[in-house]
Amino acid sequence: MLPFRFASPAIVNAFCVVVCVASLIATPTAARPQYGGTLRVSAHASIRSLDPGAAITDRSEAVLSARMRPLVFETLVEVDAAGGLRPVLAESWESDAAGARWRFRLRPGVTLHDGSPLEAWKIAAALRTTATAWTVSTDGEAVVVEPARPERDLAWALADPRHAIAVRRSAAELVGSGPFRIDRLESGRALLKAHDAYWAGRPFVDSVQVDFQRSPRVQLADFESGRADIVELQPSDVRRVTERGLRVAATRSIDLLVLVFESNRAEAASEPARRLFAGALDRSTIASVLLQGRAEPARSLLPSWLSGYSPELVASTVPRPTRTTVMALPAAQRTLTLRVDPADAVAHSIADRIAEDAREVGFTVTVQAPTGLAPRPDVRLVRAALASTSPDRSLLQLGAELGSRTLSAATPGPVLTAGASLDTVVRFERAVLGGFVVIPVVRMPELFGVGDAVDISEGEAVDPTGRWNFANLWIRSSTRARP
Amino acid sequence: MVVLSFAAVGIHGRDSFAPVRGLVTIGAFLLCSTALAQPSSTFRDLLPDLADKIASTLGASARASLAPTSDEQSARDVERDLATLLTARGLRIATDAASPSIAVSCGENLRERACVAEIRRGEVRDIVSATKALPVHHAHDGDVARAVAIEATPLFAQRARILDVLTIDERLVVLDTAGVAVYRRANDEWQPIASRAIEPPRIWPRDVRGRLRLAGSALEALLPGVVCRTTPALTNFACTDEREPWPLAVENAGLDSLRNTFQTPEGTPFFSAASLDPAAGARTVIVDLTHSLVLMDESRTPVATIGTADDVASVAAPCRSGAYIVTSAGMPGTSADALRLWRLESRTAIQAATPVTVPGRVMALWSTAGARIATAIVRDTDGDRYAAFQIRISCNR
Amino acid sequence: MTLRTRLFALVGAVVALTDILVTATVASSARRAFAAVDDQRTAVLVTQVRREFVSEGEQVAQRLERVASSDEVVRLAADLGRSKTNAAAYVGAAAPLAASQGLDFLDLVSEQGTIISSAHAPARFGYRHPWLPPGATSMPESESVFLQRVEFPNDVALGVVATRSIPAGDGRILLVGGRRLDERFLKTLVLPAGTRVLLYRDVEPEITHRQLVDASGVVADVQPFEPLIARVRQTRQDARAQIAGSSDTESVAAVPLAGPDGAVRGVLLVASSGRELASLVNRIRWSGLLFGALGLVVGCGLSYIVAARVTRPVEELADAARAVAAGRWDVQVHADESSGEVGALARAFRTMTEQLADQRDRLVQAERVAAWRELARRLAHELKNPLFPLRITVDNLTRAKSLTPAEFDEVFEESVGTLTTGLANLNAVIGRFSDFARMPMPQIADLSPNDVAQRAVKLFHAQLASGERPPIHLTMDLDPSVGRIEADGEQLGRALTNLLVNAIDAMPQGGELTIRTRRANGGVRFEVSDTGQGLTEEERQRLFTPYYTTKQHGTGLGLAIVQSVVADHHGRIWVDSEPGRGTTFHIELNRT
């Protein structure tokens, strides 16, 4: 209790200050965590493998895999909510000035899921599988990584779940060190069991059950009826959920929705049409109304908190065009087919609104959400995630998601590589956005509903980077009896 | 994030761009830190390097113009500092549109602090930047995140209704319904050194509200329909019947003499307001007449409702960035209020600390300049006293 | 044509005519009656459809009223009106409200005409409502039901729209919602068989097939309806037309559906199929045909029966008459047992035939007596002549007894000569009578009538060419197509010869002699013509009586022989003659 610096004892006696060491999302009533129970999680995607080395082409599968993998396979380091690096399997690390040689001292006493100790050679073997461009060796109880080219951000790269340490016991069996181990991985469900010998302490829950391919509507119904503890929420669900007194966890705005013109509409001659199309977008209404204020307008690919600079530096502000201006375009340029992923209801509603905004100023836009073969579209609304913590890597990953051809077509100028300076990042992003082949629309967080039976001892159930902090979740005993 | 340049927020949040085309202009962007209230000194260390690069690009004795578009104090500070540095390097700062224009944006990402300048000479645009890596903190084992808590430090108490308190150096200025008093800290207690009454006595509204503001060397006491001006020593104390905008996060026309609510220029009434860090996804938050916490964007358009409260004030966490607000609201079943700390992220409010129960009703909750701390005025109904508390965010040690 | 055939034809004609008249009359009446019923039914249907349409509008209004009074809308209006809460929170409010009340579209519109939420066009929030009049700053206050063109994301439809204004603080919120007017509405109509209702929705400037629907969906062929629809759109009044489709002609009544500004927003088309009428008329026709055929069959049977009852006795009578004519006087007629006129006729015929037979017998007897008398007379005459000289001669001989022997010898020689000649004549006369009595039955053989004629003529070539008498020109007109017949060539030849002789004898001053053969009545006809003095009527009557002759010489048996030959061949012989112009004998024989 902090001392009062005021003379009146009445105030002192009456004053009650509860200093909370850990931040809670739960009710103001603090409670001691309880062990046991199964945490039930729903996801719309499904995954086939948690192998860090597995190539995943489906975006939703990749996102879900990035969430789940750290529960089983840990990295040497990870990015915390504040954006800094946190030691995980590596206790500390150092590098030379250029970043050409990195040495990671391993945390002692880590036990793998099969009971064997985690040793340096196992980590080195795992890294050699996932990072073929690096030379990985051991040095006692340390792992030495020498990238092909000096990388000052190598430690950040090792925080990528793709470089999680998965020890291969056999061709098909991987063993991890995370708070949970894989008990079953089927097409519709994954069951993770608590790792009793986890180095940071056994998780509170006995198991985590992740149900795949649950549509947003089903997830919401399950959440409201108490059949699921953690679900994915759409922006339009948040108000309803909060009105019912349920909790919402949000990441940073790491999901970017961006319009990408196909190569046949990306030539310089069509630039005036693309510019006017960009000007027709009403981003703030999309963000504030359609996405219920859970998104923010995006005029740049990178948010300011990730880039460090303002969007105005890289994106031109285009005024809303008049019908006269648009109608002066050739008819073929005024007519567009906008394709959107039919499984992404939020993107679909955004696409409808974009089409409506464009029609208001004279464009003829058809929204296409095909489930089979369909004519080639003129422009696509694509969802891309910011998975890195540095602007250069984030742009590179965005490029990979949007299609390297698109970015290279849009940027005949500067070339971006990992580790590029901020100048280069600015120039590259400006070049990407300059021709209006790539038009950011909105940025939105990933939203999760957290059931009222769930509590957390430390941190948040989902941290701002999207990491699932399930090891610190516990379930109140009154709701423990569940399948 | 503050931008000094072409960006101008239009109606309904749609950006409108007023380009300066056909001219050899260079727009100047000043990137401020992600924490809205961070002072320009946060980036002052980057400005010399940036100025060197700008001068190197433009050449000595070149003319250039800085075109700020933001009214943020921090942005103006950066512009002023950069202009000084550029002048020292031989550049002449012009105001005409024909000169090359420099747009500077200062900010912070997860790894570094940066100031980026775009130098525009006609169609040629150069980019220069100055960056400094943020200290990479390796959290200790077991740490998940720096925990925060509300720290409420009692300042002062009296029987008369306290409207606001202000600490100036080692002195405490107290505004109540009768007048203004100044105290000095001595022997672990506050000793009065001066006081002035508000003459002639006014009939205040039932829920009277008051605010102290230090404007340079002048001290103002804002009351419903009355403004009293004096100095920190309470010299030349004079009160006039007038309305002035109160130092709130939202533009307002002051408090009507018979009311306890403010109004935005659009006519939206509110009880309380606080400014927000850009991480919140909104510019300000107000408590409207239904006691809803309403987020508003730069154009004062409501964008989200995040809960209910009686009062709101913004605070900053010394250990982490982000948008934090403190709200006061009643505790069900009790006559006491509680202070709650929220972190706003993308227009979502997350409770960031255990609520703090105060010994009574919170009668006022004010943000202070810089938003590091807030001031809470509590009425102890049992003891029939009023107490002032300093509210800040405490980080774990 | 026999009586039976004529009777059958008459009955059949009457039946057919009656059937045709009845069928046509029934068909015509049916058509008129059907048209009248169709008009009534169409009118009833139009009234029903109008009522259903009004009912639909009332339902829409009720549903919208339920939406307006729902908790969600009340709360929404209170929130928006009280604190000017960001309307963005309600951008998704319209869809579940519309779904809960089965509305196809629903807009929540602010007082300024801005869409707060749209169930059917969710992306249009924030935009002015399309029905907000240009330049207006607020939506009209009216609460009504009307037709309007509604834009959906993928199509444009006609909607039954209701509006409802609800207070929201100091202002109000307008609910604009309704249901599509399409084939779903048409499916709710209960229509009699053969009728259908189509709906034309005036949602595009041009009339296209997509705008015309019936209960099963879009109508493929709108072209037949275009003129009627265009007329209704222009006049804004009901109209009717007969519209021929690919398989049917329909009677179509068109009813305009007006929007709030009076413009036609849709046209209801009530079509009655003409197939039923056509089917009915067709059935009537077929029934007519069937009954006509039946009638004909019945008529045939009836006529057959009647005819049989009538004609058989008549035919029997006719046969009997023919038999009688053919000489069979003993023919029996069974029809005399019938009743009625036919029976009376038959009995009369029987009586007649009996009398005829009796008379014939008498006649025959009389003729026989007459013939005997004639024969006796003729014989007496024929014998008298040759006997007179014989008597004289004998008288002379008696007297000559007193003469000298020389004188007696002379007288004896003369008398012997005279007695010999006279006995020869008597012999000839007796021979001829004997020949006539002894004529044999014909020996039938297949022969050519032309050959027979030629052989008969040949006998007279020499006589005609001798020049001893005035010339007689012979013409042979033999039809080569007469074919062959079955007859006794010799007897036939004799008959022709006798006729030729008579013909030559009838032209003592010369003339034209013609012999012809012709096909006639399935057989063959011989004609022998002369240009002699002709015959009187009396002569013609008695021509074939044996021993009747107009010649000074002759036994009068020639034509009797001819007649006998013709009778033996079952043929027919008659004569045409005119005094002064000549005579033609006709012999008609059958082929067998």
Side-chain angles (χ1 to χ4, degrees):
Chain A
M1 182 177 289
L2 294 177
F4 267 50
R5 288 186 285 169
F6 181 69
S8 167
I11 297 297
V12 172
N13 292 335
F15 194 80
C16 169
V17 174
V18 176
V19 177
C20 184
V21 175
S23 63
L24 293 175
I25 308 178
T27 60
T29 307
R32 187 167 297 281
Q34 300 166 14
Y35 282 84
T38 297
L39 185 71
R40 297 162 305 175
V41 183
S42 293
H44 76 279
S46 71
I47 59 172
R48 290 163 293 175
S49 167
L50 284 174
D51 182 354
I56 301 174
T57 53
D58 180 72
R59 186 190 172 269
S60 347
E61 184 181 352
V63 169
L64 180 61
S65 180
R67 302 275 172 267
M68 285 184 65
R69 197 178 293 139
L71 299 174
V72 179
F73 302 108
E74 297 179 296
T75 49
L76 291 179
V77 296
E78 69 182 14
V79 178
D80 64 15
L85 276 181
R86 189 173 79 85
V88 184
L89 292 179
E91 214 172 34
S92 63
W93 55 91
E94 61 207 8
S95 74
D96 58 15
R101 187 174 187 280
W102 290 77
R103 188 170 183 279
F104 294 86
R105 193 157 61 82
L106 303 182
R107 181 184 298 279
V110 175
T111 306
L112 295 172
H113 294 152
D114 63 356
S116 63
L118 179 64
E119 295 163 287
W121 65 271
K122 293 178 183 176
I123 291 178
L127 281 178
R128 285 189 205 105
T129 307
T130 61
T132 54
W134 301 341
T135 302
V136 185
S137 57
T138 60
D139 176 18
E141 284 309 309
V143 170
V144 176
V145 179
E146 292 165 295
R149 281 201 313 266
E151 283 187 41
R152 280 193 287 226
D153 288 342
L154 189 88
W156 297 92
L158 280 169
D160 192 320
R162 281 175 285 196
H163 296 309
I165 306 303
V167 178
R168 196 167 293 275
R169 276 177 59 183
S170 66
E173 192 180 350
L174 291 174
V175 177
S177 62
F180 297 93
R181 59 180 172 77
I182 301 173
D183 183 70
R184 277 201 309 276
L185 181 59
E186 298 158 347
S187 62
R189 177 177 285 181
L191 186 65
L192 309 178
K193 290 279 179 69
H195 178 31
D196 289 337
Y198 182 55
W199 59 267
R202 183 198 188 279
F204 294 111
V205 297
D206 289 336
S207 55
V208 175
Q209 173 186 298
V210 184
D211 290 321
F212 301 135
Q213 294 176 315
R214 307 289 284 178
S215 70
R217 188 183 296 274
V218 168
Q219 288 190 49
L220 182 64
D222 288 346
F223 183 59
E224 291 178 330
S225 61
R227 288 194 296 268
D229 301 309
I230 307 285
V231 297
E232 298 160 331
L233 291 180
Q234 311 277 317
S236 54
D237 299 333
V238 172
R239 181 165 176 261
R240 171 177 166 159
V241 163
T242 52
E243 278 179 354
R244 289 171 189 238
L246 298 169
R247 292 167 293 168
V248 176
T251 65
R252 284 203 181 94
S253 295
I254 53 178
D255 256 9
L256 176 68
L257 277 111
V258 58
L259 290 166
V260 180
F261 279 85
E262 292 287 297
S263 55
N264 60 313
R265 297 296 287 261
E267 68 272 15
S270 304
E271 193 267 354
R274 296 194 300 271
R275 174 187 291 268
L276 294 178
F277 189 79
L281 301 185
D282 186 356
R283 294 178 177 85
S284 63
T285 301
I286 292 172
S288 62
V289 180
L290 194 60
L291 300 176
Q292 294 290 290
R294 300 295 165 185
E296 57 196 43
R299 290 194 303 114
S300 59
L301 292 172
L302 302 179
S304 304
W305 56 264
L306 181 59
S307 66
Y309 51 81
S310 163
E312 280 78 10
L313 209 57
V314 294
S316 312
T317 305
V318 182
R320 186 172 173 81
T322 61
R323 282 192 78 93
T324 310
T325 313
V326 173
M327 296 308 285
L329 293 170
Q333 292 188 13
R334 272 186 276 128
T335 306
L336 296 163
T337 301
L338 170 58
R339 178 177 288 183
V340 65
D341 181 2
D344 191 340
V346 173
H348 201 157
S349 64
I350 294 173
D352 285 339
R353 179 64 184 196
I354 291 173
E356 205 61 51
D357 289 340
R359 285 188 204 116
E360 275 291 303
V361 295
F363 284 96
T364 302
V365 181
T366 307
V367 177
Q368 180 196 79
T371 51
L373 291 176
R376 186 183 185 186
D378 300 304
V379 58
R380 294 175 289 134
L381 181 65
V382 179
R383 189 189 284 261
L386 298 171
S388 181
T389 51
S390 69
D392 50 322
R393 289 184 194 278
S394 296
L395 268 185
L396 285 171
Q397 281 168 354
L398 271 177
E401 284 210 56
L402 296 178
S404 56
R405 273 190 309 158
T406 303
L407 253 60
S408 60
T411 56
V415 174
L416 185 69
T417 56
S421 68
L422 196 61
D423 297 0
T424 306
V425 171
V426 171
R427 286 193 208 94
F428 185 81
E429 187 176 2
R430 199 232 303 276
V432 169
L433 299 177
F436 296 96
V437 174
V438 177
I439 304 174
V441 182
V442 288
R443 235 186 305 278
M444 39 193 289
E446 291 186 18
L447 299 167
F448 297 89
V450 181
D452 55 6
V454 174
D455 229 320
I456 188 161
S457 64
E458 282 186 40
E460 298 153 18
V462 180
D463 74 10
T465 64
R467 190 174 61 86
W468 284 356
N469 186 22
F470 290 174
N472 283 324
L473 291 184
W474 54 278
I475 298 166
R476 294 204 199 91
S477 62
S478 61
T479 57
R480 189 71 58 78
R482 281 141 5 133
Chain B
M1 181 68 56
V2 172
V3 175
L4 305 180
S5 188
F6 305 109
V9 175
I11 296 175
H12 301 305
R14 288 180 64 76
D15 290 339
S16 62
F17 177 56
V20 182
R21 299 279 188 201
L23 303 172
V24 179
T25 58
I26 301 175
F29 287 91
L30 280 174
L31 273 174
C32 294
S33 70
T34 55
L36 182 65
Q38 286 199 21
S40 62
S41 60
T42 309
F43 301 102
R44 190 174 280 174
D45 58 326
L46 301 177
L47 295 181
D49 184 21
L50 187 69
D52 285 340
K53 290 179 180 174
I54 294 173
S56 169
T57 304
L58 286 175
S61 308
R63 288 169 62 88
S65 63
L66 297 171
T69 60
S70 170
D71 293 330
E72 296 282 342
Q73 181 62 43
S74 52
R76 288 202 296 270
D77 290 344
V78 169
E79 176 206 338
R80 184 192 63 236
D81 294 343
L82 182 64
T84 304
L85 292 167
L86 289 175
T87 303
R89 284 154 179 76
L91 269 70
R92 286 173 291 159
I93 304 302
T95 55
D96 61 297
S99 304
S101 70
I102 304 171
V104 177
S105 174
C106 287
E108 182 181 300
N109 60 30
L110 299 176
R111 312 282 189 82
E112 58 196 0
R113 293 159 40 246
C115 285
V116 181
E118 181 196 45
I119 306 167
R120 185 181 287 190
R121 291 171 287 183
E123 293 304 315
V124 176
R125 298 161 84 174
D126 291 309
I127 302 288
V128 295
S129 66
T131 63
K132 192 165 284 187
L134 290 173
V136 179
H137 51 276
H138 305 313
H140 292 298
D141 290 347
D143 281 0
V144 174
R146 291 182 179 272
V148 294
I150 301 172
E151 186 176 291
T153 308
L155 274 179
F156 185 79
Q158 67 179 29
R159 285 197 183 281
R161 178 169 177 162
I162 302 173
L163 300 179
D164 192 12
V165 298
L166 184 65
T167 52
I168 303 174
D169 300 326
E170 294 293 317
R171 300 191 176 185
L172 181 69
V173 182
V174 177
L175 172 66
D176 59 33
T177 53
V180 180
V182 177
Y183 297 82
R184 185 184 60 192
R185 194 75 185 153
N187 300 327
D188 245 6
E189 58 182 28
W190 294 103
Q191 295 188 350
I193 53 176
S195 66
R196 295 288 183 272
I198 298 173
E199 297 287 353
R202 267 57 167 198
I203 298 175
W204 301 118
R206 284 182 181 277
D207 179 25
V208 60
R209 308 177 74 180
R211 194 88 161 91
L212 288 171
R213 175 169 64 183
L214 187 66
S217 59
L219 178 65
E220 289 178 336
L222 304 165
L223 293 119
V226 174
V227 178
C228 298
R229 293 183 178 82
T230 182
T231 64
L234 297 188
T235 56
N236 300 326
F237 186 85
C239 298
T240 55
D241 289 338
E242 62 179 281
R243 272 174 74 166
E244 259 207 22
W246 285 37
L248 305 175
V250 181
E251 281 187 35
N252 64 90
L255 207 57
D256 184 76
S257 61
L258 300 176
R259 294 289 183 269
N260 65 347
T261 57
F262 303 91
Q263 271 194 352
T264 67
E266 289 74 30
T268 305
F270 63 95
F271 290 116
S272 183
S275 61
L276 298 173
D277 182 273
R283 187 68 174 268
T284 52
V285 58
I286 65 168
V287 176
D288 68 8
L289 295 197
T290 65
H291 293 278
S292 297
L293 283 163
V294 179
L295 298 181
M296 297 200 294
D297 61 14
E298 294 86 349
S299 60
R300 292 185 291 274
T301 302
V303 295
T305 303
I306 57 173
T308 58
D310 295 332
D311 277 295
V312 65
S314 56
V315 288
C319 54
R320 55 196 294 189
S321 60
Y324 288 91
I325 58 172
V326 171
T327 63
S328 68
M331 295 279 283
T334 70
S335 58
D337 281 355
L339 297 175
R340 287 181 171 82
L341 179 67
W342 304 91
R343 182 170 59 81
L344 300 185
E345 182 94 30
S346 301
R347 300 179 183 174
T348 305
I350 303 164
Q351 191 158 322
T354 304
V356 165
T357 307
V358 295
R361 292 280 185 213
V362 174
M363 307 305 292
L365 188 63
W366 303 114
S367 306
T368 58
R372 283 258 180 214
I373 58 174
T375 302
I377 310 297
V378 178
R379 180 182 175 212
D380 178 6
T381 48
D382 292 336
D384 196 24
R385 299 181 73 84
Y386 289 84
F389 293 86
Q390 225 175 34
I391 309 299
R392 53 160 52 91
I393 296 177
S394 160
C395 297
N396 278 347
R397 296 288 184 271
Chain C
M1 189 184 289
T2 64
L3 176 61
R4 182 175 299 182
T5 306
R6 280 200 293 271
L7 199 59
F8 170 70
L10 183 64
V11 168
V14 167
V15 168
L17 192 62
T18 306
D19 183 64
I20 290 169
L21 282 173
V22 166
T23 302
T25 305
V26 168
S28 170
S29 300
R31 210 177 271 118
R32 280 197 302 275
F34 199 91
V37 167
D38 183 57
D39 283 350
Q40 279 183 11
R41 188 171 60 175
T42 302
V44 167
L45 210 54
V46 168
T47 305
Q48 177 202 348
V49 170
R50 279 191 210 268
R51 203 177 308 125
E52 292 291 335
F53 176 67
V54 169
S55 168
E56 176 76 5
E58 288 168 359
Q59 275 193 30
V60 166
Q62 284 170 11
R63 290 174 194 227
L64 193 68
E65 176 63 37
R66 285 198 284 271
V67 170
S69 53
S70 65
D71 289 344
E72 294 89 342
V73 171
V74 168
R75 192 166 49 239
L76 177 154
D79 286 348
L80 288 176
R82 184 175 55 240
S83 64
K84 300 294 186 290
T85 305
N86 183 13
Y90 301 103
V91 71
L97 291 170
S100 69
Q101 294 299 328
L103 295 173
D104 294 322
F105 52 91
L106 176 67
D107 290 329
L108 308 182
V109 186
S110 72
E111 193 172 13
Q112 293 73 33
T114 306
I115 297 173
I116 298 172
S117 177
S118 176
H120 60 290
R124 285 206 62 84
F125 60 87
Y127 284 109
R128 274 168 72 93
H129 197 274
W131 301 341
L132 181 67
T137 55
S138 66
M139 290 290 280
E141 278 246 20
S142 64
E143 293 182 359
S144 55
V145 179
F146 53 91
L147 278 184
Q148 185 57 278
R149 182 177 178 276
V150 181
E151 284 190 24
F152 289 81
N154 295 325
D155 67 337
V156 180
L158 189 63
V160 179
V161 183
T163 61
R164 186 79 171 78
S165 176
I166 52 175
D170 295 334
R172 62 195 175 91
I173 289 174
L174 197 64
L175 300 184
V176 181
R179 284 158 60 92
R180 285 174 182 258
L181 193 65
D182 55 12
E183 54 268 24
R184 190 182 50 190
F185 165 71
L186 300 180
K187 277 182 188 158
T188 64
L189 304 174
V190 177
L191 302 173
T195 56
R196 59 175 178 153
V197 177
L198 303 96
L199 173 67
Y200 165 74
R201 300 160 303 172
D202 193 359
V203 294
E204 292 177 21
E206 303 298 326
I207 299 175
T208 65
H209 76 279
R210 286 188 301 277
Q211 296 164 254
L212 188 64
V213 294
D214 62 10
S216 54
V218 173
V219 173
D221 188 12
V222 71
Q223 195 183 10
F225 297 93
E226 279 185 31
L228 180 61
I229 292 170
R231 179 152 46 111
V232 171
R233 284 171 85 191
Q234 189 178 11
T235 62
R236 303 185 182 186
Q237 291 183 355
D238 296 3
R240 292 200 71 154
Q242 294 289 326
I243 294 177
S246 57
S247 60
D248 187 15
T249 297
E250 293 175 303
S251 171
V252 182
V255 177
L257 305 175
D261 53 355
V264 172
R265 288 274 178 262
V267 179
L268 269 174
L269 302 155
V270 180
S272 288
S273 172
R275 198 175 291 141
E276 213 173 290
L277 173 64
S279 168
L280 179 65
V281 168
N282 220 23
R283 277 203 300 277
I284 292 172
R285 276 205 203 104
W286 278 105
S287 298
L289 275 174
L290 182 66
F291 284 111
L294 200 61
L296 279 174
V297 169
V298 170
C300 181
L302 198 63
S303 67
Y304 180 82
I305 294 169
V306 170
R309 289 177 67 85
V310 172
T311 61
R312 197 181 303 122
V314 173
E315 283 175 352
E316 195 178 343
L317 283 170
D319 288 340
R322 274 194 292 277
V324 166
R328 287 189 290 111
W329 295 79
D330 58 346
V331 63
Q332 295 293 321
V333 177
H334 301 293
D336 57 351
E337 294 162 3
S338 307
S339 62
E341 293 85 348
V342 174
L345 178 62
R347 284 189 292 278
F349 183 82
R350 180 169 54 80
T351 306
M352 182 196 73
T353 52
E354 286 171 353
Q355 287 178 0
L356 277 176
D358 185 53
Q359 285 180 5
R360 182 195 62 175
D361 289 342
R362 290 209 188 113
L363 184 64
V364 165
Q365 196 164 7
E367 281 191 349
R368 190 171 290 146
V369 170
W372 279 117
R373 283 198 183 128
E374 184 68 22
L375 180 62
R377 191 191 61 82
R378 194 75 186 174
L379 197 58
H381 177 70
E382 291 291 325
L383 289 177
K384 190 172 66 178
N385 287 339
L387 281 176
F388 184 72
L390 292 179
R391 198 164 60 82
I392 298 292
T393 301
V394 169
D395 284 341
N396 288 341
L397 279 174
T398 303
R399 281 192 303 274
K401 257 174 74 177
S402 58
L403 295 178
T404 62
E407 286 176 348
F408 181 85
D409 284 342
E410 186 178 347
V411 171
F412 183 83
E413 289 292 331
E414 186 179 345
S415 297
V416 168
T418 304
L419 283 172
T420 302
T421 304
L423 286 170
N425 285 342
L426 276 172
N427 225 16
V429 170
I430 292 167
R432 280 201 292 274
F433 278 108
S434 177
D435 286 338
F436 181 68
R438 268 205 321 263
M439 283 199 64
M441 297 301 292
Q443 300 295 315
I444 303 298
D446 183 65
L447 52 82
S448 167
N450 291 343
D451 292 344
V452 174
Q454 282 172 347
R455 280 198 300 273
V457 167
K458 196 172 177 184
L459 294 174
F460 297 89
H461 276 165
Q463 181 183 354
L464 292 174
S466 68
E468 292 174 355
R469 50 183 300 153
I472 293 175
H473 182 253
L474 173 67
T475 303
M476 293 190 65
D477 182 12
L478 305 181
D479 183 356
S481 66
V482 295
R484 299 179 76 82
I485 60 175
E486 289 181 355
D488 188 332
E490 187 184 346
Q491 289 188 11
L492 190 60
R494 186 189 289 182
L496 289 176
T497 303
N498 287 352
L499 290 176
L500 286 169
V501 167
N502 287 347
I504 292 171
D505 290 341
M507 292 184 291
Q509 303 304 319
E512 294 283 332
L513 174 64
T514 307
I515 180 166
R516 295 190 198 89
T517 59
R518 291 281 185 274
R519 291 163 67 189
N521 297 323
V524 65
R525 186 185 298 172
F526 296 89
E527 291 176 355
V528 177
S529 301
D530 64 69
T531 56
Q533 60 193 15
L535 297 171
T536 64
E537 183 64 26
E538 182 194 357
E539 290 168 346
R540 208 168 57 82
Q541 294 289 337
R542 296 183 67 190
L543 200 60
F544 293 104
T545 303
Y547 308 113
Y548 174 81
T549 178
T550 57
K551 292 188 285 192
Q552 289 181 354
H553 306 289
T555 59
L557 290 175
L559 288 178
I561 292 171
V562 172
Q563 189 181 41
S564 174
V565 170
V566 171
D568 287 341
H569 284 79
H570 306 291
R572 192 162 71 97
I573 182 169
W574 69 96
V575 60
D576 293 322
S577 181
E578 201 172 323
R581 295 182 72 95
T583 302
T584 301
F585 282 89
H586 305 274
I587 296 175
E588 199 170 280
L589 300 177
N590 296 326
R591 287 192 186 277
T592 56

